[in-house]
Amino acid sequence: MAKYNIGAVVAEFNYDITQMMLGLAKEEAKTRDCEITQVVTVPGVFDMALAIKKLLEKDDIDAVITLGAVIEGATDHDQIVAQHASRKIADLSLEYEKPVALGISGPGMTRLDAHKRVDYGKRAVEAAIKMCDRLKEI
């Protein structure tokens, strides 16, 4: 039996990058005796909030990780997306009193930068598990 059941919300935008992140996240969860039991794909990082909320409502989900890559474009759109998504993610974690780990790279990065940061998937799992452990101590 897994120590913790983790839900993952994964952006389809920049799919090649987010799928690598998800693969690393699954490997990390397994090495830490945990399991990613549900994966929800959403169009992009901005669209994650509702899927995160639905996962947090489930009794069999201990934490949620978010995986996405917000790449810089010709406008400040990447800044807006990342800022609003990260704020809502933090709000949901507080509202449901379960960890929601930010495995979203960007903003202000190139596609090459995003490929170099696929390990954010692994880091998100690590952060979620650490928070689950620490919350047990309170």
Side-chain angles (χ1 to χ4, degrees), residues 45-49 52 70 79-91 102 104:
V45 167
F46 191 79
D47 309 300
M48 289 183 165
I52 294 166
V70 182
Q79 301 286 332
I80 294 165
V81 166
Q83 183 178 43
H84 288 282
S86 62
R87 179 60 207 195
K88 191 59 187 173
I89 289 166
D91 290 346
L102 189 64
I104 299 169

Side-chain angles (χ1 to χ4, degrees), residues 8-46:
V9 179
V10 184
E12 292 174 340
F13 204 75
N14 299 311
Y15 181 83
D16 57 322
I17 297 163
T18 61
Q19 287 307 297
M20 286 188 282
M21 294 170 89
L22 180 59
L24 291 172
K26 286 180 176 179
E27 289 175 18
E28 184 67 15
K30 189 175 183 178
T31 62
R32 292 176 176 268
D33 201 25
C34 296
E35 186 178 356
I36 295 177
T37 56
Q38 190 162 359
V39 177
V40 179
T41 56
V42 295
V45 167
F46 191 79

